[in-house]
């Protein structure tokens, strides 16, 4: 399959590009490089530096590259920023996705894979989260993802296009060999921050709250390896052959880890201390979020190959250790 990976120079997109190659597909990268890193694109992969708003260009690429499937990873992901500047997130995450879907219709491409998030489920949901729970996001970011999920529901019914939605829990880790990995600016995620402390790039870190109703009082999250996420996406391709299909999957290992467990594991893997201070709870954090991925397991035959938090952190450590300044060191 010729697969257009929109946002293919970003964290999850760049890992998916490599997994597509492993699975024998031909990835073609489209990225405006606002957040993505050109250095993450493998040599020999066709790359188009284009914004989704440039519909004539997108249509031309869809046709000239003979695209069979579009995978869409390009989104702004910072929850705090989405609350301060919601229109920025709506424009990028919703309006540009609508542009992309219209371009696909124009070019006659009708298979779509969308990168969503467990944040569409909101605060009231009780873990483990399955796919039957209602959409109740509590941030503008989460709402943009939920909006696209609803748009895809209508589009698959109206236009005969087929779509697979994947809701990630905590995407983490890096490709084996440490050649590509996580490089966000600003970095807000727990594992890379703990690793930056281990590397001496930060003196210490904050643990946001330690009186949650969890075994050690810190939040429980479901950390799932990016390559496992990518493999689930690719496993859905055959199911998209049927017109009008809308598939939704929650992707996680189902085994959560606490903030303190993550810090301890980073200390073990790196062999270095990770000092921290206790800080007030971060707005919007739920005590516990983990996936029920039984549907992905039964329908896609998907099982995460990285089943332990240690195995995930080892790959993240290899990337950060060899690229302490991220892609500046590539
Ligand atoms: N967290 C923390 N200190 C940090 C960053 C994150 O204690 O410097 C906590 C955060 O409150 C949450 C968990 O780590 O409970 C995972 O946060 P992250 O931002 O990585 O992912 P999220 O679950 O918010 O998508």
């Amino acid at each position: 399959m010729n697969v257009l990976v929109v946002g293919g120079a970003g964290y999850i997109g760049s890992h998916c590009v490599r997994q597509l190659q492993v699975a024998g597909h031909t990835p073609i990268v489209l990225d405006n490089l606002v957040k993505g890193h050109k250095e993450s694109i493998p040599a020999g992969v066709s790359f188009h530096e284009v914004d989704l708003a440039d519909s004539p260009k997108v249509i031309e690429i869809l046709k000239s590259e003979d695209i069979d499937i579009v995978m869409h990873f390009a989104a702004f992901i910072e929850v705090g920023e989405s609350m301060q500047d919601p229109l920025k997130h709506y424009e990028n995450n919703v309006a540009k996705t609508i542009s992309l879907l219209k371009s696909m219709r124009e070019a006659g491409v009708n298979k779509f894979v969308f990168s969503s998030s467990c944040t569409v489920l909101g605060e009231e949901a009780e873990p483990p989260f399955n796919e039957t729970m209602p959409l109740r996001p509590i941030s503008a970011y989460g709402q943009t993802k939920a909006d696209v999920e609803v748009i895809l529901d209508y589009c698959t019914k109206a236009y005969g296009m087929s779509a697979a939605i994947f809701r990630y829990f905590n995407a983490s880790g890096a490709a084996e060999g440490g050649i590509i990995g996580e490089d966000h600016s600003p970095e807000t995620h727990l594992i890379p921050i703990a690793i930056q402390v281990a590397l001496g790039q930060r003196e210490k870190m904050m643990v946001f709250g330690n009186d949650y109703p969890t075994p050690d009082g810190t939040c429980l999250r479901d950390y799932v390896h990016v390559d496992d996420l990518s493999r689930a996406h690719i496993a859905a391709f055959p199911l998209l052959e049927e017109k009008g299909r809308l598939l939704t999957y929650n992707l996680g290992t189902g085994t959560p880890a606490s903030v303190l467990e993550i810090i301890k594991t980073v200390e073990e893997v790196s062999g270095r201390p990770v000092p921290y201070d206790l800080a007030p709870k971060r707005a919007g954090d739920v005590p516990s979020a983990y996936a029920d991925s039984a549907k992905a397991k039964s329908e896609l035959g998907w099982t995460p190959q990285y089943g332990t938090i240690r195995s995930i952190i080892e790959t993240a450590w290899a990337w950060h250790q060899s690229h302490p300044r991220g892609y500046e060191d590539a």
Side-chain angles (χ1 to χ4, degrees), residues 118-119 169-170 188-193 202 205-209 212 218-221 223 259 263 282 285-287:
C118 65
T119 54
F169 282 66
N170 292 61
T188 60
H189 294 111
L190 178 63
I191 293 176
I193 286 177
R202 295 174 189 242
M205 60 181 294
M206 312 276 208
V207 169
F208 299 134
Y212 284 99
T218 64
C219 289
L220 291 170
R221 294 287 179 276
Y223 299 88
V259 175
I263 292 175
R282 196 173 64 174
D285 274 344
V286 294

Side-chain angles (χ1 to χ4, degrees), residues 86-309:
L87 290 176
K88 179 179 172 185
H89 276 241
Y90 273 89
E91 182 182 30
N92 191 71
N93 297 3
V94 182
K96 288 189 184 180
T97 302
I98 293 172
S99 292
L100 172 60
L101 292 167
K102 286 171 76 179
S103 298
M104 286 173 60
R105 272 178 51 69
E106 189 70 31
V109 178
N110 58 14
K111 298 187 195 83
F112 191 66
V113 175
F114 180 62
S115 164
S116 188
S117 162
C118 65
T119 54
V120 297
L121 298 172
E123 268 180 322
E124 297 127 39
E126 278 292 318
F129 298 161
N130 65 30
E131 293 81 0
T132 63
M133 293 171 170
L135 300 181
R136 286 214 185 93
I138 55 160
S139 68
Y141 163 71
Q143 188 64 54
T144 65
K145 292 287 177 185
D147 287 350
V148 174
E149 289 202 12
V150 173
I151 289 167
L152 289 175
D153 187 18
Y154 284 112
C155 287
T156 49
K157 286 176 183 141
Y159 306 132
M161 67 182 293
S162 53
I165 294 166
F166 290 96
R167 297 179 186 145
Y168 314 144
F169 282 66
N170 292 61
S172 40
E176 291 292 342
I179 3 138
I180 55 169
E182 196 164 8
D183 181 358
H184 292 121
S185 179
E187 189 52 77
T188 60
H189 294 111
L190 178 63
I191 293 176
I193 286 177
I195 289 177
Q196 287 170 355
V197 178
L199 285 169
Q201 294 175 351
R202 295 174 189 242
E203 199 186 321
K204 55 185 162 183
M205 60 181 294
M206 312 276 208
V207 169
F208 299 134
N210 72 339
D211 60 351
Y212 284 99
T214 60
D216 68 16
T218 64
C219 289
L220 291 170
R221 294 287 179 276
D222 188 340
Y223 299 88
V224 53
H225 197 280
V226 268
D227 282 348
D228 282 324
L229 294 177
S230 304
R231 284 188 277 267
H233 294 60
I234 296 164
F237 287 1
L239 303 183
L240 296 177
E241 293 299 331
E242 190 183 314
K243 284 190 168 184
R245 244 181 157 178
L246 179 70
L247 303 159
T248 305
Y249 300 103
N250 293 353
L251 295 180
T253 64
T255 309
S258 74
V259 175
L260 294 182
E261 282 169 336
I262 295 293
I263 292 175
K264 186 164 151 278
T265 309
V266 170
E267 287 183 324
E268 285 168 8
V269 168
S270 67
R272 301 179 191 187
V274 178
Y276 62 85
D277 280 338
L278 289 174
K281 287 178 179 169
R282 196 173 64 174
D285 274 344
V286 294
S288 178
Y290 54 96
D292 174 351
S293 295
K295 188 170 175 237
K297 287 187 177 110
S298 71
E299 293 184 12
L300 304 177
W302 178 74
T303 312
Q305 292 179 16
Y306 292 87
T308 65
I309 193 61

